[in-house]
Amino acid sequence: MKSNPRSRAQRRRDTEHRLAHDIDIWVASASADGAPYLVPLSFDWDGEALLVSTPAGSPTGRNLAATRAVRLALGHTRDVSMIEGRVEVLEIDALPQERGDRFAARAGFDPRALATPYRWFHIFPRRIQAWREVDELPDRELMRDGRWLA
Amino acid sequence: MKSNPRSRAQRRRDTEHRLAHDIDIWVASASADGAPYLVPLSFDWDGEALLVSTPAGSPTGRNLAATRAVRLALGHTRDVSMIEGRVEVLEIDALPQERGDRFAARAGFDPRALATPYRWFHIFPRRIQAWREVDELPDRELMRDGRWLA
């Protein structure tokens, strides 16, 4: 079943809907010397940045702290929203309590309550693309340099 | 709905079923200086290696050729099979024709027929993990150093 390619505006609405409602996101990171990593994590979105939390000593935690670069995927392989972002690292006690409570409610776990040392990672989108299949490869760029194009 | 954690043997069967039948896989790579990349690609599986194809000049194509390292994800965020592999790069005319035909039939596109220069990438799994939710984090390791553990 094929539909017409979506407009950029529609893809932005679809992407923002996912940011507001999905629970998990694919998180791709890399070590400073080029070893890729990929893992699904739960996230929250406040309209400006994604918030994730993972152990400071995990591959993702170490990579994000070292490079501050991440590439994320929402959705599934034939209906994706790809997000490249700039990462800010926060110690686990450095986030306002209500923000942490909101994350815990959405994610279903509270990284502040665990024995393993976790950190928060704020991810600010700089580039966003969205496409379903080949017919949507044109106009897949929705955000560039942190600014929405539609 | 929760079920009991699957055995390693069951997770291996589930992972091999996906390798044999899924069409798309998440491909995480990195540049030599630590810029992560992530994209869904179609793949084929011959029982030993995954075969993907992407333009030689694309971020994934450049990263895989430079680092020979990749991390793959099959499935969705609450039911994943993660694969770390060693990459072999083949020029587009270096694969036996029937192997390319088989890829084209499964993937729905033939990279040998395109104007953009593509390459083949053979990915040999070295480490495989599979889990659904937190209760499956123990025993998630299914392959280590290229050998199945179950």
Side-chain angles (χ1 to χ4, degrees):
Chain A
M1 193 187 71
K2 292 280 178 186
S3 53
N4 290 325
R6 293 169 295 167
S7 66
R8 276 200 171 120
Q10 183 61 49
R11 298 187 209 194
R12 175 177 172 176
R13 285 192 294 275
D14 293 345
T15 298
E16 290 187 309
H17 187 269
R18 277 189 176 140
L19 285 167
H21 297 285
D22 284 9
I23 297 176
D24 304 319
I25 195 161
W26 291 105
V27 179
S29 63
S31 67
D33 62 353
Y37 206 71
L38 175 63
V39 78
L41 294 178
S42 298
F43 76 101
D44 192 23
W45 166 250
D46 66 4
E48 188 188 8
L50 296 95
L51 181 65
V52 303
S53 188
T54 198
S58 68
T60 300
R62 286 185 278 111
N63 290 346
L64 296 185
T67 70
R68 308 296 169 107
V70 70
R71 187 162 157 107
L72 309 168
L74 282 166
H76 55 86
T77 56
R78 303 257 165 159
D79 185 4
V80 304
S81 294
M82 308 296 310
I83 300 172
E84 289 181 7
R86 179 173 53 79
V87 178
E88 282 185 5
V89 186
L90 280 85
E91 299 304 327
I92 202 69
D93 58 1
L95 194 73
Q97 174 156 2
E98 63 180 27
R99 200 67 197 81
D101 293 347
R102 184 178 138 158
F103 176 90
R106 176 155 160 175
F109 82 102
D110 189 340
R112 299 168 300 187
L114 302 173
T116 307
Y118 274 61
R119 280 177 170 159
W120 300 107
F121 299 88
H122 259 136
I123 300 168
F124 295 86
R126 301 295 300 161
R127 185 183 185 210
I128 300 179
Q129 305 163 301
W131 72 91
R132 286 181 177 155
E133 304 218 17
V134 172
D135 66 341
E136 282 202 357
L137 289 182
D139 291 332
R140 67 183 178 277
E141 195 103 335
L142 304 185
M143 177 188 282
R144 197 181 299 147
D145 299 330
R147 275 196 296 269
W148 290 102
L149 304 180
Chain B
M1 195 186 69
K2 293 276 178 188
S3 54
N4 290 326
R6 293 169 295 166
S7 66
R8 275 198 171 122
Q10 183 61 49
R11 298 186 208 194
R12 175 177 172 176
R13 285 193 293 275
D14 293 345
T15 298
E16 290 187 310
H17 188 270
R18 276 188 176 142
L19 285 167
H21 297 285
D22 283 10
I23 297 175
D24 303 320
I25 195 161
W26 290 105
V27 178
S29 63
S31 66
D33 62 352
Y37 205 71
L38 175 63
V39 77
L41 294 178
S42 298
F43 76 101
D44 192 22
W45 166 250
D46 65 5
E48 188 189 9
L50 296 95
L51 181 65
V52 302
S53 188
T54 197
S58 68
T60 300
R62 285 185 277 113
N63 290 345
L64 296 184
T67 70
R68 308 296 170 106
V70 70
R71 187 163 157 106
L72 308 168
L74 280 166
H76 55 85
T77 56
R78 303 257 166 160
D79 186 4
V80 304
S81 293
M82 308 296 311
I83 301 170
E84 289 180 8
R86 178 173 54 78
V87 178
E88 283 185 4
V89 186
L90 280 85
E91 298 304 326
I92 202 68
D93 57 0
L95 195 73
Q97 174 157 1
E98 62 181 28
R99 201 65 198 81
D101 292 347
R102 185 178 138 158
F103 175 90
R106 177 155 160 176
F109 82 102
D110 190 339
R112 301 168 299 186
L114 302 174
T116 307
Y118 274 61
R119 280 178 169 157
W120 299 107
F121 299 88
H122 259 137
I123 300 169
F124 295 86
R126 301 295 299 162
R127 185 183 185 209
I128 300 180
Q129 306 163 300
W131 72 90
R132 287 181 176 154
E133 304 218 17
V134 172
D135 67 340
E136 283 203 356
L137 289 182
D139 291 332
R140 65 183 179 277
E141 196 104 335
L142 304 184
M143 177 187 283
R144 197 181 299 146
D145 298 329
R147 276 197 293 269
W148 290 101
L149 305 180

mmCIF file of all heavy atoms in Angstrom, chain A residues 107-134:
data_model
loop_
_atom_site.group_PDB
_atom_site.id
_atom_site.type_symbol
_atom_site.label_atom_id
_atom_site.label_comp_id
_atom_site.label_asym_id
_atom_site.label_seq_id
_atom_site.Cartn_x
_atom_site.Cartn_y
_atom_site.Cartn_z
ATOM 1 N N ALA A 107 8.869 7.133 31.726
ATOM 2 C CA ALA A 107 9.797 6.052 31.387
ATOM 3 C C ALA A 107 9.488 4.761 32.139
ATOM 4 O O ALA A 107 9.867 3.678 31.699
ATOM 5 C CB ALA A 107 11.228 6.480 31.681
ATOM 6 N N GLY A 108 8.838 4.893 33.312
ATOM 7 C CA GLY A 108 8.551 3.692 34.079
ATOM 8 C C GLY A 108 9.706 3.255 34.969
ATOM 9 O O GLY A 108 9.652 2.174 35.552
ATOM 10 N N PHE A 109 10.749 4.087 35.054
ATOM 11 C CA PHE A 109 11.803 3.812 36.038
ATOM 12 C C PHE A 109 12.407 5.140 36.474
ATOM 13 O O PHE A 109 12.360 6.126 35.735
ATOM 14 C CB PHE A 109 12.870 2.861 35.490
ATOM 15 C CG PHE A 109 13.931 3.529 34.641
ATOM 16 C CD1 PHE A 109 15.193 3.812 35.147
ATOM 17 C CD2 PHE A 109 13.659 3.884 33.331
ATOM 18 C CE1 PHE A 109 16.169 4.423 34.359
ATOM 19 C CE2 PHE A 109 14.622 4.501 32.541
ATOM 20 C CZ PHE A 109 15.884 4.767 33.061
ATOM 21 N N ASP A 110 12.948 5.143 37.692
ATOM 22 C CA ASP A 110 13.485 6.381 38.260
ATOM 23 C C ASP A 110 14.990 6.215 38.485
ATOM 24 O O ASP A 110 15.417 5.562 39.432
ATOM 25 C CB ASP A 110 12.781 6.700 39.584
ATOM 26 C CG ASP A 110 13.141 8.086 40.088
ATOM 27 O OD1 ASP A 110 14.185 8.633 39.661
ATOM 28 O OD2 ASP A 110 12.376 8.622 40.904
ATOM 29 N N PRO A 111 15.807 6.824 37.624
ATOM 30 C CA PRO A 111 17.253 6.623 37.728
ATOM 31 C C PRO A 111 17.846 7.245 38.989
ATOM 32 O O PRO A 111 18.986 6.919 39.342
ATOM 33 C CB PRO A 111 17.798 7.316 36.472
ATOM 34 C CG PRO A 111 16.750 8.307 36.092
ATOM 35 C CD PRO A 111 15.443 7.703 36.496
ATOM 36 N N ARG A 112 17.081 8.091 39.695
ATOM 37 C CA ARG A 112 17.585 8.693 40.938
ATOM 38 C C ARG A 112 17.538 7.691 42.093
ATOM 39 O O ARG A 112 18.147 7.916 43.137
ATOM 40 C CB ARG A 112 16.738 9.918 41.294
ATOM 41 C CG ARG A 112 16.777 11.007 40.222
ATOM 42 C CD ARG A 112 15.706 12.056 40.454
ATOM 43 N NE ARG A 112 14.352 11.457 40.440
ATOM 44 C CZ ARG A 112 13.236 12.148 40.492
ATOM 45 N NH1 ARG A 112 13.284 13.477 40.570
ATOM 46 N NH2 ARG A 112 12.057 11.550 40.461
ATOM 47 N N ALA A 113 16.790 6.596 41.894
ATOM 48 C CA ALA A 113 16.555 5.656 42.996
ATOM 49 C C ALA A 113 17.422 4.410 42.907
ATOM 50 O O ALA A 113 17.266 3.492 43.694
ATOM 51 C CB ALA A 113 15.076 5.249 42.990
ATOM 52 N N LEU A 114 18.349 4.381 41.942
ATOM 53 C CA LEU A 114 19.090 3.145 41.690
ATOM 54 C C LEU A 114 20.469 3.163 42.325
ATOM 55 O O LEU A 114 21.066 4.221 42.532
ATOM 56 C CB LEU A 114 19.219 2.938 40.173
ATOM 57 C CG LEU A 114 17.880 2.881 39.427
ATOM 58 C CD1 LEU A 114 18.113 2.839 37.932
ATOM 59 C CD2 LEU A 114 17.053 1.695 39.888
ATOM 60 N N ALA A 115 20.984 1.980 42.627
ATOM 61 C CA ALA A 115 22.306 1.874 43.250
ATOM 62 C C ALA A 115 23.408 2.227 42.246
ATOM 63 O O ALA A 115 24.399 2.877 42.587
ATOM 64 C CB ALA A 115 22.518 0.458 43.786
ATOM 65 N N THR A 116 23.243 1.807 41.002
ATOM 66 C CA THR A 116 24.222 2.135 39.956
ATOM 67 C C THR A 116 24.190 3.640 39.691
ATOM 68 O O THR A 116 23.114 4.208 39.568
ATOM 69 C CB THR A 116 23.841 1.403 38.648
ATOM 70 O OG1 THR A 116 23.696 0.012 38.935
ATOM 71 C CG2 THR A 116 24.883 1.613 37.573
ATOM 72 N N PRO A 117 25.339 4.298 39.580
ATOM 73 C CA PRO A 117 25.337 5.748 39.311
ATOM 74 C C PRO A 117 24.877 6.060 37.882
ATOM 75 O O PRO A 117 25.514 5.657 36.910
ATOM 76 C CB PRO A 117 26.797 6.159 39.515
ATOM 77 C CG PRO A 117 27.464 5.021 40.220
ATOM 78 C CD PRO A 117 26.691 3.784 39.825
ATOM 79 N N TYR A 118 23.757 6.774 37.797
ATOM 80 C CA TYR A 118 23.221 7.218 36.510
ATOM 81 C C TYR A 118 23.517 8.706 36.319
ATOM 82 O O TYR A 118 23.794 9.428 37.273
ATOM 83 C CB TYR A 118 21.697 7.021 36.471
ATOM 84 C CG TYR A 118 21.251 5.642 36.032
ATOM 85 C CD1 TYR A 118 21.607 4.500 36.757
ATOM 86 C CD2 TYR A 118 20.460 5.472 34.891
ATOM 87 C CE1 TYR A 118 21.196 3.238 36.348
ATOM 88 C CE2 TYR A 118 20.040 4.221 34.485
ATOM 89 C CZ TYR A 118 20.403 3.101 35.214
ATOM 90 O OH TYR A 118 19.987 1.858 34.806
ATOM 91 N N ARG A 119 23.419 9.130 35.054
ATOM 92 C CA ARG A 119 23.424 10.559 34.733
ATOM 93 C C ARG A 119 22.219 10.878 33.858
ATOM 94 O O ARG A 119 21.657 10.000 33.213
ATOM 95 C CB ARG A 119 24.688 10.934 33.961
ATOM 96 C CG ARG A 119 25.915 11.132 34.821
ATOM 97 C CD ARG A 119 27.118 11.432 33.945
ATOM 98 N NE ARG A 119 28.265 11.863 34.730
ATOM 99 C CZ ARG A 119 29.515 11.799 34.299
ATOM 100 N NH1 ARG A 119 29.773 11.313 33.091
ATOM 101 N NH2 ARG A 119 30.513 12.207 35.051
ATOM 102 N N TRP A 120 21.874 12.155 33.807
ATOM 103 C CA TRP A 120 20.904 12.659 32.842
ATOM 104 C C TRP A 120 21.644 13.167 31.613
ATOM 105 O O TRP A 120 22.738 13.728 31.736
ATOM 106 C CB TRP A 120 20.112 13.832 33.431
ATOM 107 C CG TRP A 120 19.323 13.534 34.655
ATOM 108 C CD1 TRP A 120 19.611 13.939 35.923
ATOM 109 C CD2 TRP A 120 18.086 12.816 34.730
ATOM 110 N NE1 TRP A 120 18.638 13.509 36.790
ATOM 111 C CE2 TRP A 120 17.684 12.817 36.083
ATOM 112 C CE3 TRP A 120 17.280 12.166 33.800
ATOM 113 C CZ2 TRP A 120 16.521 12.192 36.523
ATOM 114 C CZ3 TRP A 120 16.116 11.546 34.237
ATOM 115 C CH2 TRP A 120 15.750 11.567 35.573
ATOM 116 N N PHE A 121 20.997 13.001 30.475
ATOM 117 C CA PHE A 121 21.539 13.531 29.225
ATOM 118 C C PHE A 121 20.430 14.310 28.520
ATOM 119 O O PHE A 121 19.409 13.725 28.149
ATOM 120 C CB PHE A 121 22.064 12.397 28.332
ATOM 121 C CG PHE A 121 23.176 11.624 28.991
ATOM 122 C CD1 PHE A 121 22.894 10.534 29.813
ATOM 123 C CD2 PHE A 121 24.504 12.010 28.831
ATOM 124 C CE1 PHE A 121 23.909 9.828 30.442
ATOM 125 C CE2 PHE A 121 25.521 11.301 29.462
ATOM 126 C CZ PHE A 121 25.235 10.223 30.275
ATOM 127 N N HIS A 122 20.627 15.611 28.410
ATOM 128 C CA HIS A 122 19.712 16.458 27.638
ATOM 129 C C HIS A 122 20.188 16.479 26.191
ATOM 130 O O HIS A 122 21.371 16.743 25.937
ATOM 131 C CB HIS A 122 19.737 17.888 28.189
ATOM 132 C CG HIS A 122 18.591 18.214 29.060
ATOM 133 N ND1 HIS A 122 18.703 18.899 30.247
ATOM 134 C CD2 HIS A 122 17.254 17.957 28.921
ATOM 135 C CE1 HIS A 122 17.516 19.046 30.798
ATOM 136 N NE2 HIS A 122 16.621 18.483 30.026
ATOM 137 N N ILE A 123 19.293 16.209 25.278
ATOM 138 C CA ILE A 123 19.654 16.182 23.860
ATOM 139 C C ILE A 123 18.868 17.257 23.120
ATOM 140 O O ILE A 123 17.641 17.201 23.061
ATOM 141 C CB ILE A 123 19.370 14.793 23.252
ATOM 142 C CG1 ILE A 123 20.196 13.733 23.990
ATOM 143 C CG2 ILE A 123 19.674 14.805 21.752
ATOM 144 C CD1 ILE A 123 19.773 12.305 23.671
ATOM 145 N N PHE A 124 19.586 18.221 22.579
ATOM 146 C CA PHE A 124 18.963 19.327 21.842
ATOM 147 C C PHE A 124 19.059 19.034 20.349
ATOM 148 O O PHE A 124 20.169 18.994 19.799
ATOM 149 C CB PHE A 124 19.676 20.642 22.164
ATOM 150 C CG PHE A 124 19.523 21.055 23.598
ATOM 151 C CD1 PHE A 124 20.391 20.579 24.573
ATOM 152 C CD2 PHE A 124 18.484 21.894 23.972
ATOM 153 C CE1 PHE A 124 20.228 20.945 25.911
ATOM 154 C CE2 PHE A 124 18.314 22.261 25.308
ATOM 155 C CZ PHE A 124 19.186 21.789 26.276
ATOM 156 N N PRO A 125 17.918 18.828 19.680
ATOM 157 C CA PRO A 125 17.965 18.497 18.248
ATOM 158 C C PRO A 125 18.574 19.629 17.424
ATOM 159 O O PRO A 125 18.268 20.799 17.632
ATOM 160 C CB PRO A 125 16.482 18.311 17.879
ATOM 161 C CG PRO A 125 15.805 17.961 19.167
ATOM 162 C CD PRO A 125 16.546 18.756 20.209
ATOM 163 N N ARG A 126 19.464 19.252 16.511
ATOM 164 C CA ARG A 126 20.066 20.204 15.569
ATOM 165 C C ARG A 126 19.610 19.902 14.151
ATOM 166 O O ARG A 126 19.540 20.807 13.323
ATOM 167 C CB ARG A 126 21.602 20.104 15.631
ATOM 168 C CG ARG A 126 22.194 20.375 17.000
ATOM 169 C CD ARG A 126 21.972 21.806 17.443
ATOM 170 N NE ARG A 126 22.577 22.755 16.523
ATOM 171 C CZ ARG A 126 22.259 24.047 16.447
ATOM 172 N NH1 ARG A 126 21.316 24.546 17.217
ATOM 173 N NH2 ARG A 126 22.852 24.846 15.583
ATOM 174 N N ARG A 127 19.341 18.626 13.879
ATOM 175 C CA ARG A 127 18.927 18.217 12.537
ATOM 176 C C ARG A 127 17.897 17.111 12.698
ATOM 177 O O ARG A 127 18.105 16.179 13.482
ATOM 178 C CB ARG A 127 20.142 17.698 11.776
ATOM 179 C CG ARG A 127 19.865 17.360 10.324
ATOM 180 C CD ARG A 127 21.131 16.780 9.697
ATOM 181 N NE ARG A 127 20.954 16.543 8.273
ATOM 182 C CZ ARG A 127 21.582 15.585 7.602
ATOM 183 N NH1 ARG A 127 22.442 14.799 8.214
ATOM 184 N NH2 ARG A 127 21.370 15.411 6.315
ATOM 185 N N ILE A 128 16.799 17.214 11.982
ATOM 186 C CA ILE A 128 15.768 16.182 12.016
ATOM 187 C C ILE A 128 15.372 15.837 10.589
ATOM 188 O O ILE A 128 15.200 16.720 9.752
ATOM 189 C CB ILE A 128 14.517 16.646 12.814
ATOM 190 C CG1 ILE A 128 14.903 16.970 14.271
ATOM 191 C CG2 ILE A 128 13.418 15.585 12.768
ATOM 192 C CD1 ILE A 128 13.738 17.449 15.137
ATOM 193 N N GLN A 129 15.258 14.541 10.324
ATOM 194 C CA GLN A 129 14.777 14.053 9.029
ATOM 195 C C GLN A 129 13.649 13.053 9.294
ATOM 196 O O GLN A 129 13.656 12.380 10.329
ATOM 197 C CB GLN A 129 15.888 13.305 8.286
ATOM 198 C CG GLN A 129 17.164 14.087 8.084
ATOM 199 C CD GLN A 129 18.322 13.143 7.736
ATOM 200 O OE1 GLN A 129 18.663 12.250 8.492
ATOM 201 N NE2 GLN A 129 18.916 13.350 6.577
ATOM 202 N N ALA A 130 12.714 12.954 8.370
ATOM 203 C CA ALA A 130 11.655 11.948 8.499
ATOM 204 C C ALA A 130 11.279 11.430 7.123
ATOM 205 O O ALA A 130 11.095 12.209 6.189
ATOM 206 C CB ALA A 130 10.430 12.538 9.190
ATOM 207 N N TRP A 131 11.194 10.095 7.012
ATOM 208 C CA TRP A 131 10.737 9.491 5.766
ATOM 209 C C TRP A 131 10.161 8.114 6.043
ATOM 210 O O TRP A 131 10.445 7.503 7.067
ATOM 211 C CB TRP A 131 11.872 9.408 4.740
ATOM 212 C CG TRP A 131 12.947 8.397 5.021
ATOM 213 C CD1 TRP A 131 12.983 7.104 4.597
ATOM 214 C CD2 TRP A 131 14.155 8.583 5.792
ATOM 215 N NE1 TRP A 131 14.128 6.474 5.057
ATOM 216 C CE2 TRP A 131 14.863 7.352 5.794
ATOM 217 C CE3 TRP A 131 14.697 9.675 6.487
ATOM 218 C CZ2 TRP A 131 16.077 7.182 6.449
ATOM 219 C CZ3 TRP A 131 15.913 9.495 7.151
ATOM 220 C CH2 TRP A 131 16.584 8.268 7.125
ATOM 221 N N ARG A 132 9.319 7.669 5.115
ATOM 222 C CA ARG A 132 8.794 6.304 5.195
ATOM 223 C C ARG A 132 9.515 5.423 4.192
ATOM 224 O O ARG A 132 10.313 4.589 4.563
ATOM 225 C CB ARG A 132 7.284 6.312 4.974
ATOM 226 C CG ARG A 132 6.568 6.871 6.197
ATOM 227 C CD ARG A 132 5.067 6.890 6.045
ATOM 228 N NE ARG A 132 4.446 7.381 7.277
ATOM 229 C CZ ARG A 132 3.256 7.958 7.357
ATOM 230 N NH1 ARG A 132 2.518 8.131 6.266
ATOM 231 N NH2 ARG A 132 2.789 8.386 8.516
ATOM 232 N N GLU A 133 9.267 5.640 2.895
ATOM 233 C CA GLU A 133 9.962 4.817 1.907
ATOM 234 C C GLU A 133 10.631 5.732 0.881
ATOM 235 O O GLU A 133 10.711 6.946 1.083
ATOM 236 C CB GLU A 133 8.975 3.821 1.272
ATOM 237 C CG GLU A 133 8.296 2.978 2.371
ATOM 238 C CD GLU A 133 8.059 1.528 2.006
ATOM 239 O OE1 GLU A 133 8.685 1.043 1.054
ATOM 240 O OE2 GLU A 133 7.253 0.888 2.686
ATOM 241 N N VAL A 134 11.101 5.110 -0.219
ATOM 242 C CA VAL A 134 11.917 5.854 -1.174
ATOM 243 C C VAL A 134 11.219 7.110 -1.689
ATOM 244 O O VAL A 134 11.861 8.152 -1.890
ATOM 245 C CB VAL A 134 12.303 4.927 -2.356
ATOM 246 C CG1 VAL A 134 12.975 5.702 -3.469
ATOM 247 C CG2 VAL A 134 13.236 3.827 -1.855
#
